[in-house]
Amino acid sequence: MTDDELIWRIAGGSGDGIDSTSQNFAKALMRTGLDVFTHRHYPSRIRGGHTFVEVRAAGHPVKSRGDGYNFLLALGDSFARNPQDEAYYGNEEAKPLTENLDDLREGGVIVYDTGLLDEGDVDDLEERAAEEGWHVYPLDLRGLAREHGSEVMRNTAGVGATAALLGMDTGVFEELMDERMSGDVLATNVEILEMAHEEVSGMEHTHALQLPEGTHEDAADSPVLLSGSNAVAYGALDAGCRFIAGYPMTPWTDVFTIMSQNLPEMGGISEQVEDEIAAASLAIGASHAGVKAMSGSSGGGFALMSEPLGMAEMTETPIVLVEAMRAGPSTGMPTKPEQADLEHVLYTSQGDSNRVVFAPGTVREAYEQTRAAFEMAYEYHLPAIVVIDQKLSGEVAVIPDEFFDREPDPGLGAVLTEAELDEAAHHASGVFDRYRHDPESGVSPRSIPGQAGGRFLASGNEHTPQGHIAEDPDNRVAQMDRRARKLASVRAELDGRETSHQTPYGPEDAEYGILTWGSQQGTAEEAVDRLNDDGHSVKALGVSDLMPYPSAEVAAFLESVEECLVVEMNATAQFRGLTGKELGQYGEHLSSLLKYNGDPFEPAEVVEGFESIVGDADADGDASGESTRIVPAVGD
Amino acid sequence: MSQSTNVFGAIGDAQEREEGIDREEFTPGIEPQATWCPGCGDFGVLKALKGAMPEVGRTPEEVLLVTGIGCSGKLSSYFDSYGFHSIHGRALPVARAAKLANPGLEVIAAGGDGDGYGIGGNHFTHTARENHDMTYIVFNNEIFGLTKGQTSPTSPKGHESKTQPHGSAKDPVRPLSMALSAGASYVARTAAVNPQQATEILAEAIEHDGFAHVDFLTQCPTWNKDAKQYVPYTDVQQSEEYDFDVHDRREAARMMHETEDALYEGTVLTGRYFVEEGRRSYGAEKAATGEAPETPLAERYFDPDYEWERSYDLLDRHR
Ligand SMILES: Cc1ncc(C[n+]2csc(CCOP(=O)(O)OP(=O)(O)O)c2C)c(N)n1
Ligand code: SF4
Ligand SMILES: [Mg+2]
């Protein structure tokens, strides 16, 4: 909203290095002491197609994408097809400019590469610029890069131009280049960076926007810049996970790749296998044999894991699965975020669900809750699922490195040693009572194949304490009840902890509430700040525990407010539905703000949604925005 | 294989035994007793497997038997070892991961023809290709037993069942040829009616260092009435009529083809079809490329002195 922040959007074609340039730019800003947050937008296509990344930076905390942005670096799309307006997909060559203008704030800065973009392709750019007070700097970045090195280095020229326009020197960028390049490539890039900087510094500047001032405490000393996927992977590694099996699928591939790149050096194993049914089954096999194991996928691949997931529940084999959601149904929009797999994750697989599901709201929570997922899975012998989405998986955040300076937790959980097995209950046949009826917590400790005195049968069929197939009704009820008790124990354990996975935000005594789950948390928090600044009285709760549901915490939150807006990225208000089902009341207090166009919420959309519905006695039926939809509370 | 620590006390146990191993150790103490129909070929697999264990020198608690779903899947209920009765078609991915996690285990997977060649066919192909050091026994009764007699992937063309009342229009799959082309390093066929050969073949398969596939003909007198009892049978190694080199892929392929055709013409051929010696198992291959640890991963979790790596030490790339 304010201009004490920079939201730099680098736009171009897929395959033009937009992502890596933006990552380095974000790192550079972090090194200047700013807090940084990124938002990626890219097509499901390898070469060509409109792509952008926004890097938002400020001296104060930034937790979300912003409302629009204020600096555009429009590079060309070198793989654009169909340079005609009438083409089905429009004029792709011009898209780095045309597609980005609507979101650019008043008074914003535009740098575009005249080497690849022609002003003539953009209808009335000049007129619009005059109207909106934009400051336009056409620069031949391609020409400059070609002259001093090669065309592909035009991104570097763009960064040099950006730095000059923001009043930054090139030092921090050169430092970064020096760390990851060498020889001629380094020398040429540095030259291009400096040339562009010099040329643009010498031009007349009409804009006011400069690099924001101040230092954010997280960036003060030894900060690191990490994505949600990275945080999930690092949480898994620190939980002692040394086995992963998977099959590539966006956006889950990020977690799978990071794990696969690190496991060999740690003496672990990564298996890329034939399909997701195999992937989940391998994780189960490895865990059964005594290793901390995980798998995961995105919507469609996770659907294939449905039956193995149930097998893990029934055999009580600990596993952690990641579900990195993307827009569905079916193949949907593979590179776009959505939160529409909630019900899928909670209930998929036959029979009553018996699993733990966490949806972290931030990069830090992704680390913490992945560790917690392993803990719950191995202590309570059930599958634990970490639900992220394309938004959280790709966004990066600044975190002080000491956050990660903690003990690993490689414990196998409820497992007996051979000495303990010696003392443990066995059937007269000599088989170990792996699935006793009586444990109060529901957890009947397991043995690991190869241990003397521990043999038993794990079975997906209902079974006796030794694991043998049984359809006796008393045994059935005893086993069902015991497995259900494990979930109650998980809830009791989580409720008893010092820090909850649910994140409250804003004034405790606020009149109204905003409820989110998973990745919408940061955006809602920004909206809360703005609403309170504007005289409203609002607080938020970001929920992460989805199963077992944190009923007491959510109920207390809802009790404390008059009305609550539930914000989620899907079309059927799945989280509101879950909340209603779990709490059995509050239907008349919960309205929904939904978005499912493939683009995550901007804080302003939440502000607007709130203002148009909650506390507004005259709200008429449809207060939906341009790309959001409002579903009023029951009875409204 | 002996292991460095003794957290898995059962592993390597057999070597220390003076009295040898009794096949009856693999019979459940009291219960459960097998519930297969009288005359079912599945009894033959159980018997042959128990008989093979003293030969290969493994005790019950160092064996992990992973089964699928079907009449055949019940094998793990009647064989007293560590067992995993998984879901339909998924025995192989569960089993092969257990072997990667703890190579000290003797891992055996088993299931039906529907389980292995139909619903789990993708896993069959890939597990064979990867050449995991394990044994896979497919109970081939040319029928879906447990679901009451529907046509299976190995049912002969023209086979009539409730789901193909006019007879199956499909040619059956070729299990031996599939295993060979996928990359299995040991391929054999035996039959329940030939207990001695079956025991020998299972022992060889278990001892083989790589993926050993045994297509085990198991008569189903209940649903496959018109089908054979698989007698008389011929052992291709013993018969003068057949002469081929089991170490030669081409000759093996020809013999497999002939054997698969012959079954549907009423001639039951059995024996060893392909044996590839000296090829590294997947676990060994993966360790050699640096993608798997040298010592069993499962042991690490019981090692109080192991220094676990931390993500904190990976942060330089994020600064
Ligand atoms: C996913 C799934 N589909 C179908 C079934 C039902 N089902 C159980 S066993 C079986 C086929 C059994 O045939 P086969 O694998 O040849 O084993 P057999 O009983 O003949 O030993 C089927 C279709 C199931 N359990 N799971
Ligand atoms: S139905 Fe056939 S395969 Fe199943 S137990 Fe009976 S005879 Fe054996
Ligand atoms: Mg069958």
Side-chain angles (χ1 to χ4, degrees), chain B residues 35-43 70-72 74 139 141 143-149 218-224:
Chain B
T35 54
W36 292 310
C37 308
C40 173
D42 294 5
F43 286 104
C71 296
S72 44
K74 305 254 175 85
F139 293 54
N141 55 8
I143 204 85
F144 279 10
L146 192 65
T147 44
K148 305 199 168 183
T218 48
Q219 69 280 4
C220 171
T222 303
W223 303 114
N224 214 355

Side-chain angles (χ1 to χ4, degrees), chain A residues 10-22 45-51 75-80 96 116 151-156:
Chain A
I10 176 172
S14 198
D16 283 336
I18 300 296
D19 203 43
S20 64
T21 305
S22 69
R45 183 170 148 192
I46 305 304
R47 295 281 181 225
H50 177 239
T51 297
L75 300 165
D77 180 346
S78 41
F79 303 98
L116 279 151
E151 225 178 85
V152 295
M153 296 176 182
R154 61 182 189 274
N155 294 17
T156 302

